[in-house]
Amino acid sequence: MLKLSQISHVLLATLVSISFAKTVNAEPSATLSVVVNGIQHQKGEICFRVYASEKGFPMSNTSEAQSGCAKITGNSVKKEFSGLKPGTYAVAVVDDQNGDRKLNKDFFGIPQEGFGISKNPTVSIQTGTPKFRDASFVVNKNTTVNIIMKYSLDS
Protein backbone atom coordinates (compact mmCIF):
# COMPACT_ATOMS: atom_id res chain seq x y z
CA MET A 1 0.00 0.00 0.00
CA LEU A 2 2.83 2.38 0.83
CA LYS A 3 4.52 1.73 -2.52
CA LEU A 4 1.31 2.60 -4.39
CA SER A 5 1.18 5.90 -2.50
CA GLN A 6 4.81 6.65 -3.38
CA ILE A 7 4.15 5.88 -7.06
CA SER A 8 1.15 8.19 -7.11
CA HIS A 9 3.27 11.01 -5.58
CA VAL A 10 5.97 10.51 -8.23
CA LEU A 11 3.35 10.46 -10.95
CA LEU A 12 1.75 13.63 -9.61
CA ALA A 13 5.14 15.38 -9.36
CA THR A 14 5.95 14.38 -12.94
CA LEU A 15 2.64 15.73 -14.25
CA VAL A 16 3.14 19.02 -12.41
CA SER A 17 6.67 19.32 -13.82
CA ILE A 18 5.41 18.72 -17.37
CA SER A 19 2.70 21.35 -17.03
CA PHE A 20 5.25 23.92 -15.79
CA ALA A 21 7.64 22.99 -18.61
CA LYS A 22 4.94 23.71 -21.19
CA THR A 23 4.20 27.06 -19.58
CA VAL A 24 7.87 28.06 -19.57
CA ASN A 25 8.40 26.99 -23.19
CA ALA A 26 5.31 28.79 -24.52
CA GLU A 27 6.31 31.43 -27.06
CA PRO A 28 5.40 34.96 -26.08
CA SER A 29 2.84 36.66 -28.26
CA ALA A 30 1.46 40.14 -28.58
CA THR A 31 -1.60 41.93 -29.89
CA LEU A 32 -1.29 44.61 -32.56
CA SER A 33 -4.10 47.17 -32.69
CA VAL A 34 -4.30 49.09 -35.96
CA VAL A 35 -6.35 52.29 -35.96
CA VAL A 36 -7.17 53.84 -39.35
CA ASN A 37 -8.29 57.47 -39.36
CA GLY A 38 -9.48 59.82 -42.11
CA ILE A 39 -11.84 57.42 -43.87
CA GLN A 40 -13.90 59.33 -46.45
CA HIS A 41 -16.54 56.70 -47.30
CA GLN A 42 -19.32 55.28 -45.18
CA LYS A 43 -19.66 52.01 -47.09
CA GLY A 44 -17.30 49.18 -47.93
CA GLU A 45 -14.57 47.92 -45.68
CA ILE A 46 -11.00 48.61 -44.68
CA CYS A 47 -8.73 45.67 -45.49
CA PHE A 48 -5.52 45.16 -43.51
CA ARG A 49 -2.34 43.22 -44.18
CA VAL A 50 0.28 42.79 -41.47
CA TYR A 51 3.70 41.97 -42.97
CA ALA A 52 6.55 40.22 -41.17
CA SER A 53 9.20 41.05 -43.80
CA GLU A 54 9.84 43.19 -46.86
CA LYS A 55 8.98 40.36 -49.23
CA GLY A 56 5.80 41.39 -51.03
CA PHE A 57 5.29 44.58 -49.01
CA PRO A 58 2.94 46.42 -49.49
CA MET A 59 1.07 44.96 -52.48
CA SER A 60 1.26 41.17 -52.27
CA ASN A 61 0.46 38.66 -49.54
CA THR A 62 3.86 36.93 -49.84
CA SER A 63 5.10 37.70 -46.32
CA GLU A 64 1.71 38.42 -44.81
CA ALA A 65 1.65 37.45 -41.13
CA GLN A 66 -2.06 38.17 -40.71
CA SER A 67 -4.81 39.94 -42.60
CA GLY A 68 -8.46 40.81 -42.38
CA CYS A 69 -11.09 43.40 -43.17
CA ALA A 70 -13.35 45.53 -41.00
CA LYS A 71 -16.65 47.10 -42.06
CA ILE A 72 -16.55 50.88 -42.26
CA THR A 73 -18.76 52.36 -39.55
CA GLY A 74 -17.43 55.92 -39.41
CA ASN A 75 -14.32 57.92 -40.23
CA SER A 76 -12.18 55.63 -38.06
CA VAL A 77 -11.80 51.84 -37.88
CA LYS A 78 -9.84 49.67 -35.44
CA LYS A 79 -8.77 46.07 -35.95
CA GLU A 80 -6.77 43.85 -33.61
CA PHE A 81 -4.34 41.11 -34.60
CA SER A 82 -3.46 38.76 -31.76
CA GLY A 83 -0.92 35.98 -31.43
CA LEU A 84 1.93 37.83 -33.16
CA LYS A 85 5.44 36.71 -32.28
CA PRO A 86 7.76 39.49 -31.16
CA GLY A 87 9.45 41.00 -34.20
CA THR A 88 9.38 43.72 -36.83
CA TYR A 89 6.17 44.33 -38.77
CA ALA A 90 4.60 46.77 -41.21
CA VAL A 91 0.93 47.29 -42.09
CA ALA A 92 -0.79 48.24 -45.35
CA VAL A 93 -4.51 49.10 -45.54
CA VAL A 94 -6.97 49.68 -48.37
CA ASP A 95 -10.36 51.42 -48.40
CA ASP A 96 -11.95 48.61 -50.39
CA GLN A 97 -15.00 50.08 -52.06
CA ASN A 98 -15.61 47.34 -54.64
CA GLY A 99 -15.14 44.25 -52.46
CA ASP A 100 -12.14 42.76 -54.28
CA ARG A 101 -9.89 43.09 -51.21
CA LYS A 102 -6.99 44.69 -53.09
CA LEU A 103 -5.80 48.17 -54.02
CA ASN A 104 -7.07 49.05 -57.47
CA LYS A 105 -4.72 51.19 -59.57
CA ASP A 106 -5.00 52.92 -62.92
CA PHE A 107 -2.91 52.30 -66.05
CA PHE A 108 -0.05 54.37 -64.59
CA GLY A 109 -0.08 52.53 -61.25
CA ILE A 110 -1.74 55.35 -59.33
CA PRO A 111 -4.14 54.11 -56.61
CA GLN A 112 -7.84 54.51 -57.37
CA GLU A 113 -8.92 53.60 -53.83
CA GLY A 114 -7.87 54.94 -50.45
CA PHE A 115 -4.77 53.41 -48.91
CA GLY A 116 -2.53 53.75 -45.89
CA ILE A 117 0.77 52.45 -44.60
CA SER A 118 2.14 52.21 -41.07
CA LYS A 119 4.30 55.16 -39.99
CA ASN A 120 2.48 57.18 -42.69
CA PRO A 121 5.41 57.60 -45.12
CA THR A 122 5.22 59.98 -48.09
CA VAL A 123 3.82 58.26 -51.17
CA SER A 124 4.37 60.21 -54.38
CA ILE A 125 5.48 59.71 -57.96
CA GLN A 126 8.99 60.76 -56.87
CA THR A 127 9.22 58.51 -53.80
CA GLY A 128 7.37 55.53 -55.29
CA THR A 129 6.03 52.69 -53.21
CA PRO A 130 7.25 52.86 -49.60
CA LYS A 131 9.86 50.34 -48.47
CA PHE A 132 9.31 47.97 -45.57
CA ARG A 133 12.09 49.67 -43.58
CA ASP A 134 10.26 53.02 -43.84
CA ALA A 135 6.99 51.57 -42.55
CA SER A 136 8.15 48.94 -40.06
CA PHE A 137 7.97 48.99 -36.29
CA VAL A 138 8.85 46.59 -33.48
CA VAL A 139 6.21 44.55 -31.69
CA ASN A 140 7.39 42.91 -28.48
CA LYS A 141 4.32 43.62 -26.36
CA ASN A 142 0.81 44.87 -27.07
CA THR A 143 1.22 47.70 -29.58
CA THR A 144 -1.08 50.26 -31.25
CA VAL A 145 -0.34 51.76 -34.68
CA ASN A 146 -2.22 54.73 -36.17
CA ILE A 147 -2.57 55.00 -39.95
CA ILE A 148 -3.98 58.00 -41.82
CA MET A 149 -5.92 57.03 -44.93
CA LYS A 150 -4.78 58.70 -48.17
CA TYR A 151 -6.99 59.18 -51.20
CA SER A 152 -4.34 60.60 -53.52
CA LEU A 153 -0.58 60.62 -53.84
CA ASP A 154 1.38 63.17 -51.83
CA SER A 155 2.68 66.17 -53.75
Side-chain angles (χ1 to χ4, degrees):
M1 191 76 176
L2 184 60
K3 289 185 180 190
L4 185 58
S5 173
Q6 289 174 334
I7 291 172
S8 65
H9 285 302
V10 170
L11 184 59
L12 180 62
T14 303
L15 290 174
V16 168
S17 296
I18 290 171
S19 68
F20 281 130
K22 285 187 178 181
T23 303
V24 170
N25 291 335
E27 283 195 39
S29 67
T31 297
L32 172 63
S33 298
V34 181
V35 179
V36 179
N37 294 302
I39 300 168
Q40 293 181 358
H41 300 99
Q42 296 304 303
K43 62 181 181 67
E45 52 188 6
I46 302 297
C47 292
F48 302 75
R49 281 191 180 151
V50 179
Y51 291 86
S53 79
E54 65 187 30
K55 190 174 183 182
F57 176 82
M59 302 306 282
S60 141
N61 60 1
T62 308
S63 69
E64 178 183 290
Q66 290 188 29
S67 65
C69 297
K71 185 170 175 36
I72 296 173
T73 57
N75 63 359
S76 181
V77 168
K78 179 179 179 181
K79 183 148 181 72
E80 293 188 347
F81 298 92
S82 57
L84 291 173
K85 295 178 186 175
T88 302
Y89 295 90
V91 179
V93 299
V94 173
D95 181 347
D96 187 25
Q97 290 297 299
N98 63 1
D100 66 357
R101 298 193 170 198
K102 65 180 183 178
L103 179 62
N104 299 118
K105 298 179 284 185
D106 68 12
F107 177 77
F108 298 105
I110 297 173
Q112 295 181 303
E113 293 178 298
F115 64 95
I117 296 185
S118 49
K119 293 178 72 176
N120 301 299
T122 298
V123 181
S124 69
I125 291 174
Q126 290 81 17
T127 62
T129 303
K131 304 287 185 234
F132 181 82
R133 70 176 175 269
D134 298 325
S136 62
F137 53 92
V138 174
V139 173
N140 55 19
K141 57 183 168 69
N142 294 345
T143 304
T144 299
V145 172
N146 291 291
I147 298 176
I148 299 169
M149 190 63 70
K150 298 176 186 239
Y151 288 90
S152 65
L153 297 178
D154 296 315
S155 305

